[in-house]
Structures are given as C-alpha cells and as structure tokens.
Amino acid sequence: MAARPSRDAKKGLAFGGELAAGFIQHTRYLIFQWAGKTAIVPNSTVIPRTDAGKLALLQHLDTTLSAYAAALEFGANDLSELDRATAWLKYAIDLQSAFKAGGEATVAFRNAVRDGSPTGKAVVPSFPILTPPPGEPFLDVVGYVSRLITRIRIHENYTEAIGKALNITPAKSVAVDPATMPPALAVDFQGGQPRVLRSMQGMDALELEADHGNGNFALLTIDMTPNHIDTTPLPPSGSVVLSKYRAIYRVRDQRVGNWSQVLEVSVKGI
C-alpha cells in the first residue's frame, strides 16, 4: 500500500486547479512533504500510453466517478470539468483520425488522376463534418486527469475498492524509501576525458560533483541528460590523477534521495 499523508496532513492539501503546497507531481513519482518528512510514492501511472487508452480511461471515469462523488468530495463543477475534458479529447482524436483517413484518400485520388487506376475509376474523397464540443478547447487533458487521479487516491475516504471501480489502481503501489534511490554511476572515456554514465530514472535532473585530486567535492554540472563528459583539463602527459565523482537526483530543482556512492576514476594525461 502506497504511503499517504495522515488525515491532518491531507486536510491541509487544497486540491483544485492547482497543485497544493507540499505536493510535487512528477512523471514517475508523487512526492509528499509534510511535518518535516518526505514520502516518495511511485506514480505507477494508470494513464495508458495510447490515445485510445487515455480516452477509454476518461470515458470510464466520466461515467463512474459520480457514484463516488459525495464520498470523495467532488461537486457538480468537478464532474462537469471531467465531462468537458473527455469530450474534447474524443473530438481531437476523432478529428485527427478523420484527417488522416482523408489524407490517405486524397493521396490515392491524386495518384489515380496523375498515373491512372487499375480499375479505370477513382473516387473523389469526402471529409466527415465533426462538430466540436461547446466552449473553448480543453488543454492538457493528460495533466488534468493525472491531478484528478492523485486527488482521488490521497483522499481520506479512498479505498482500493474505489480505485478498482474507477480503474485507477496501479499495478504496484509500493512506497519508495528515498534512501534506496541514489544514482548509480559508471564511467568510460572519450578522447581521454572521463564520461560519467548514469540512469536518470525518470527524474528531472542530476546534480554531479567532482573532486579532481584536491580532496574537495565541487559542483561539476546539473544536467538533464544521461551522460556527462568531464572537460576539466587533463593532467600533464604521463601523469595520473585520481578523480572522484558523486551525484544526487533533482526534482523541481530540489534534491531527492541520497548521494550516490563515490566513483573513483584514474585519469591519465595524454
């Protein structure tokens, strides 16, 4: 069972159009901060990868959430917003499909006109007329439904049974101890320069420090890419310097988890 804030802590989280203070939403983790503590809950996303899957989830929520609205403190405006998000996503997907099919038919028609047709005939393509939902287009549906699901899952009345009924129960819901999340570092060389290799694990960035033989770690980079080439000048030709590297993950410009083990690398001058 994923760690969730206490009843008192949850009362202090005001969810609506904006994320509450003390809560960070991330692509792979939900990070709660309260009472001087941090809980990192895997955001074992229940949002499907495909557009069809996303739409199916929204349509299911749109038809079933009302049964739990009172228990989860969802009002009429909340349900209306869900309905609007569902309608606009369906329209956008249908519109793209129509244009794709129409585009393929247009290419086939052009080819027949230009090069002829085995049947000696060609069908003039037509496009379906799709009526958009009322009002302004609903933007960032995925972000909206992610916040919606999080709001449901941390509510004090939420149960696994409700999660299953709404199809928002992750495959795994295991609390992650930040102490188990240090980056794992490795190294290879490019043109004689050390290249520090690491996995981002879905985090925003990685803070990398280096000690180039003077006994003190100093910031080398805060990087959003998996690997980093240390361009510090090499030692004189034939000599060797023991460089050390350590790293820690960052989310929303805040350190998350623990420092990695120190990686020691012998750097030779060329």
Side-chain angles (χ1 to χ4, degrees), residues 88-102 127-132:
W88 273 105
L89 181 60
K90 183 178 187 307
Y91 173 74
I93 292 173
D94 289 347
L95 188 66
Q96 182 188 30
S97 298
F99 271 87
K100 181 180 179 181
F127 295 87
I129 299 175
L130 301 177
T131 303

Side-chain angles (χ1 to χ4, degrees), residues 77-163:
N77 290 340
D78 295 317
L79 298 177
S80 176
E81 194 78 344
L82 174 58
D83 186 64
R84 197 167 74 86
T86 304
W88 273 105
L89 181 60
K90 183 178 187 307
Y91 173 74
I93 292 173
D94 289 347
L95 188 66
Q96 182 188 30
S97 298
F99 271 87
K100 181 180 179 181
E104 293 171 352
T106 300
V107 170
F109 178 72
R110 181 208 62 189
N111 291 345
V113 170
R114 184 189 63 197
D115 304 321
S117 168
T119 64
K121 298 179 180 180
V123 178
V124 178
S126 60
F127 295 87
I129 299 175
L130 301 177
T131 303
E136 292 294 317
F138 194 109
L139 305 182
D140 191 20
V141 170
V142 172
Y144 159 77
V145 75
S146 180
R147 292 189 295 271
L148 178 77
I149 291 171
T150 301
R151 173 182 171 182
I152 293 170
R153 285 171 58 188
I154 71 165
H155 194 280
E156 60 188 28
N157 293 331
Y158 173 79
T159 63
E160 289 297 316
I162 291 177

Side-chain angles (χ1 to χ4, degrees), residues 170-191:
K172 287 187 177 181
S173 184
V174 181
V176 178
D177 183 352
T180 67
M181 294 176 54
L185 303 182
V187 69
D188 65 8
F189 290 86
Q190 185 168 313

Side-chain angles (χ1 to χ4, degrees), residues 13-14 16 22 29 34 61 65 91 110 112 132 139 144 199 208 229 247:
L13 297 177
Y29 300 96
W34 76 97
L61 288 169
L65 183 57
Y91 173 74
R110 181 208 62 189
L139 305 182
Y144 159 77
S199 172
L208 181 64
I229 298 175

Side-chain angles (χ1 to χ4, degrees), residues 186-198 208-212 220-221 223 226-235 240-245 263-270:
V187 69
D188 65 8
F189 290 86
Q190 185 168 313
Q193 304 287 158
R195 184 173 68 148
V196 181
L197 313 175
R198 67 279 178 126
L208 181 64
E209 292 187 348
D211 170 6
H212 293 111
L220 184 62
T221 185
D223 206 345
N227 306 318
H228 178 80
I229 298 175
D230 185 354
T231 58
T232 301
L234 297 174
V240 177
V241 169
L242 182 65
S243 292
K244 300 178 182 180
Y245 300 93
L263 174 68
E264 296 187 349
V265 181
S266 294
V267 182
K268 184 177 181 179
I270 55 177

